[in-house]
Amino acid sequence: MRTLWQHCHAATLAEGRYSIIEDAAIVTCAGLIEWIGPRAELQPFEVDRTVDLSGAWVTPGLIDCHTHAVFGGNRSGEFEQRLQGVSYADIAAQGGGIASTVRATRAASEDELFASARQRVQALMRDGVTTIEVKSGYGLDLANERKMLRVARRLADELPLAVRATCLAAHALPPEYAGRSDDYIAHICDEMLPALAAEGLVDAVDAFCEHLAFSPAQVEKVFIKAHALGLPVKLHAEQLSSLHGSSLAARYQALSADHLEFMTEEDAIAMAKAGTVAVLLPGAFYFLRETQLPPMDALRRHGVKIALASDLNPGTSPGLSLRLMLNMGCTLFRMTPEEALAGVTLHAATALGLGDSHGSLEVGKVADFVAWQISRPADLAYWLGGDLPKRVVRKGHEISN
Ligand code: NIG
Ligand code: FE
């Protein structure tokens, strides 16, 4: 079915940058964008259907390129502890933090994990999100990492959105490996990654490079194995301290390095050279009440692509709105609304290895877009949450939300 979408303006993000078309027309066919441009230049197409978008602004479907949307339980009790002054690192050292979510995730069935993740993902979708990444990392053994990754695949099967599944087995040390972190890394490389990859459950491999998680040398072993299996890598780096994980990630042509508050200018240079996207996570920065800002000027100066994501997780960013992250990226990190929009479309797609098919409104790309009833694109970063009136199109078909 060929559809003409008109009476709209478009923020296309075409050709790698923020750009707009006023009074635009879009033709979609077989799930792809067949034509987009000023309506005045539209050639006569044989269309099956014409849709009047009532003057909406059309953007690419939003992409949340860093989530931990699948998990058991929640950690609002730790939130209360932190409000009393206990730090995230102290809570982790006392057996809370990620370890407590690991206990709850292991105890949950696959159906229970699916049911709770589905609700969270539907909240993201109500904000115009059409693609998400989902990480494992709260199972930390083969059976439970598999369970999480299967839930990620099932989300894509049962909801109208694209899901990239990332194996984050190197998120934290499971209790059964206490004091034996090198052994756990070997177990990930020798058993977990090969099995999960063979089952087709993994699109990328991530790790948490931090004093309270894994060292750069340990992360490198995971990266080497990932590459041997033909899988791209990503990294949680420089969130709480500077270990130059982002430079390590760049050396392994990582799709992205994420968090990055403590990164240096040298890290930014390495990432720019490698084309590794900087994924900034203002929700975690805000929720942990961090004060060290990511080095925006260095990232811009060296031309690093900047993405924004929710980091939706129970410990550091229980964030159910990607648009709220646009606002936080602007208010907390001083991004412009245009940078923020590029960060949840164009650059988020690249951070997932989907730059050729998603993230902009261009001929040949998947017809995922949102028609927002707003006066200007900057409105998307302006409103603090809420439900903006919009129509969401996934693979050329309007979905209800
Ligand atoms: O992205 N940094 C590590 N991982 C998550 C936090 C996970 C948790 O605390 O449960 C993050 O912030
Ligand atoms: Fe994360």
Side-chain angles (χ1 to χ4, degrees):
M1 159 130 86
R2 179 176 285 127
T3 307
L4 166 63
W5 311 79
Q6 61 179 8
H7 194 194
C8 60
H9 310 295
T12 64
L13 287 301
E15 292 170 14
R17 68 198 144 72
Y18 180 87
S19 41
I20 62 172
I21 303 171
E22 288 190 15
D23 194 6
I26 304 168
V27 179
T28 58
C29 190
L32 302 178
I33 297 173
E34 194 176 22
W35 191 89
I36 178 166
R39 193 161 57 98
E41 293 172 19
L42 181 66
Q43 306 300 310
F45 272 95
E46 287 268 315
V47 299
D48 302 296
R49 204 163 65 109
T50 299
V51 180
D52 183 327
L53 291 173
S54 321
W57 271 94
V58 178
T59 67
L62 304 193
I63 299 175
D64 193 345
C65 67
H66 181 141
T67 88
H68 308 249
V70 175
F71 56 83
N74 82 39
R75 307 225 297 272
S76 62
E78 290 181 8
F79 174 55
E80 290 180 292
Q81 269 184 288
R82 284 196 303 99
L83 292 174
Q84 307 285 338
V86 188
S87 74
Y88 180 65
D90 286 345
I91 290 171
Q94 292 158 12
I98 294 173
S100 74
T101 300
V102 171
R103 287 191 289 277
T105 304
R106 287 180 172 182
S109 70
E110 194 171 307
D111 284 343
E112 287 165 344
L113 287 179
F114 177 75
S116 65
R118 179 194 169 100
Q119 287 189 2
R120 293 187 280 269
V121 170
Q122 284 177 320
L124 292 174
M125 291 173 70
R126 283 194 290 276
D127 238 4
V129 169
T130 52
T131 299
I132 60 171
E133 186 244 25
V134 174
K135 300 177 193 291
S136 65
Y138 293 123
L140 307 186
D141 61 26
L142 179 56
N144 285 293
E145 289 287 293
R146 177 188 287 124
K147 181 171 71 179
M148 292 187 71
L149 292 165
R150 284 170 53 96
V151 171
R153 290 286 186 243
R154 196 168 147 197
L155 288 166
D157 290 343
E158 298 196 21
L159 294 172
L161 92 162
V163 178
R164 300 300 276 177
T166 299
C167 181
L168 177 58
H171 193 196
L173 194 60
E176 57 276 18
Y177 278 88
R180 297 188 294 130
S181 63
D182 284 335
D183 290 350
Y184 180 56
I185 292 291
H187 178 60
I188 291 174
C189 295
D190 299 343
E191 315 286 340
M192 293 169 76
L193 284 180
L196 296 168
E199 291 167 36
L201 291 171
V202 184
D203 300 315
V205 174
D206 195 350
F208 186 15
C209 188
E210 194 59 65
H211 292 296
L212 54 80
F214 298 101
S215 68
Q218 291 173 323
V219 168
E220 186 160 13
K221 290 193 176 128
V222 175
F223 282 0
I224 288 169
K225 187 66 193 190
H227 276 193
L229 293 167
L231 294 168
V233 299
K234 320 166 75 68
L235 191 63
H236 285 70
E238 271 72 76
Q239 179 184 12
L240 308 169
S241 63
S242 169
L243 297 179
H244 301 291
S246 43
S247 288
L248 170 67
R251 277 207 301 288
Y252 283 83
Q253 297 86 45
L255 293 173
S256 70
D258 304 36
H259 286 289
L260 302 176
E261 282 84 344
F262 287 83
M263 76 184 293
T264 64
E265 177 132 24
E266 287 63 41
D267 296 325
I269 293 169
M271 286 176 64
K273 253 197 212 134
T276 297
V277 177
V279 178
L280 303 184
L281 305 168
F285 174 90
Y286 163 81
F287 198 69
L288 293 180
R289 302 204 297 178
E290 296 290 346
T291 51
Q292 170 90 17
L293 289 161
M296 296 305 301
D297 290 344
L299 291 170
R300 290 187 183 114
R301 197 164 45 246
H302 297 292
V304 181
K305 292 176 181 165
I306 302 170
L308 269 177
S310 69
D311 196 12
L312 167 53
N313 78 71
T316 66
S317 187
L320 296 171
S321 163
L322 190 56
R323 266 194 318 100
L324 182 57
M325 302 303 149
L326 295 188
N327 179 274
M328 288 187 181
C330 297
T331 50
L332 299 175
F333 295 168
R334 295 283 178 262
M335 293 173 78
T336 66
E338 293 177 5
E339 283 177 320
L341 182 58
V344 295
T345 53
L346 185 67
H347 301 320
T350 305
L352 295 182
L354 296 175
D356 291 339
S357 55
H358 292 73
S360 65
L361 302 174
E362 286 177 277
V363 171
K365 286 205 171 181
V366 174
D368 286 358
F369 54 83
V370 186
W372 308 88
Q373 287 300 334
I374 53 176
S375 56
R376 320 165 51 228
D379 290 7
L380 298 177
Y382 163 72
W383 295 106
L384 288 169
D387 189 12
L388 294 185
K390 65 190 163 306
R391 298 168 75 167
V392 181
V393 175
R394 158 90 173 126
K395 290 187 175 169
H397 294 285
E398 188 162 352
I399 57 175
S400 53
N401 66 87

